[in-house]
Amino acid sequence: MLLELGEGEQAHRIAADMLQRRPRLELDAACMEVALRATAQARGLPAAARLHRDLDPKGTHSKLVLAMVQACDQQDDYRRAVDVVAAAVEQGMGACPPVFGALLLCLYHHATRETPGQKAREAMVAAVDLLHASRTEPNRMMLDVVGKFCRQCKQSFAMARKLEKVLGEAARKDGDNALFAIFAKREARAAPAK
């Protein structure tokens, strides 16, 4: 029923009633995820964060972490998104490409709204550090998003170089991504003319 309702105030009210009536462990991940998304949309991210802690005290359930990150993306709260993932990694969440893909997208979407300032750049560095700490192997989509974020920065090459130090060989192993393209463009300019 919740899945059919989607998000919004009505879904939030039904989810809240359901959560009160039934033990948490009887709810499957899909129900908890929808309840979280509905709460974020109807009541805001602070209420969703409280529900997240209630549903998953450790904060490591990947589907709920993903739902929180995507809710943060919808409301352009990239700092909260980084904090949610940081807490999950600290508590033991391992490699999870969907979560990190969503986190990097959240930061990139912010960068398309305004030129990334120092806090946004620091958040991207933190996100890439977390990706590395969780042992998540960066895929082409992630590298593409990181590269596109860097291109939105005033000093795109400096930002790309900083992130490359964390990503290591992954940054260059796949030539078909926006991050690699930044290096390729700079190297092409620096190459001596034949």
Side-chain angles (χ1 to χ4, degrees):
M1 182 178 180
L2 267 178
L3 292 173
E4 292 173 2
L5 283 170
E7 299 177 357
E9 184 63 35
Q10 185 182 11
H12 166 74
R13 285 198 304 270
I14 292 173
D17 181 65
M18 182 179 67
L19 292 171
Q20 284 179 348
R21 290 170 183 269
R22 302 182 65 185
R24 303 288 185 265
L25 293 177
E26 288 184 24
L27 298 175
D28 63 16
C31 286
M32 292 192 291
E33 184 182 346
V34 172
L36 201 55
R37 292 180 189 279
T39 300
Q41 188 181 64
R43 300 294 169 87
L45 291 172
R50 288 192 295 273
L51 177 59
H52 185 204
R53 287 193 296 270
D54 192 24
L55 292 171
D56 180 27
K58 282 191 70 178
T60 57
H61 193 301
S62 60
K63 286 189 179 297
L64 299 186
V65 174
L66 177 60
M68 275 299 297
V69 170
Q70 290 174 333
C72 291
D73 188 6
Q74 289 175 349
Q75 299 186 35
D76 195 22
D77 192 342
Y78 66 85
R79 286 189 235 178
R80 187 186 292 271
V82 172
D83 288 345
V84 167
V85 177
V89 172
E90 186 177 327
Q91 289 297 315
M93 185 184 79
C96 189
V99 165
F100 285 98
L103 178 60
L104 297 174
L105 275 172
C106 177
L107 283 154
Y108 170 63
H109 291 156
H110 172 77
T112 62
R113 298 180 186 107
E114 59 182 79
T115 301
Q118 183 178 349
K119 289 182 179 177
R121 295 195 303 273
E122 288 173 353
M124 177 55 89
V125 172
V128 171
D129 281 340
L130 289 168
L131 184 150
H132 181 70
S134 73
R135 301 183 183 277
T136 298
E137 183 71 21
N139 56 33
R140 182 181 296 181
M141 171 269 195
M142 294 179 198
L143 296 172
D144 211 35
V145 170
V146 169
K148 288 177 179 178
F149 177 93
C150 292
R151 284 206 301 244
Q152 298 293 118
C153 298
K154 289 181 179 178
Q155 295 182 318
S156 59
F157 183 76
M159 187 66 192
R161 180 68 76 200
K162 184 180 292 187
L163 297 174
E164 182 198 26
K165 289 178 182 177
V166 181
L167 292 167
E169 289 298 314
R172 291 174 177 266
K173 75 176 184 180
D174 172 13
D176 188 20
N177 67 72
L179 182 60
F180 178 85
I182 292 172
F183 301 126
K185 187 174 181 181
R186 172 63 70 96
E187 288 162 4
R189 285 179 184 168
K194 293 183 179 179

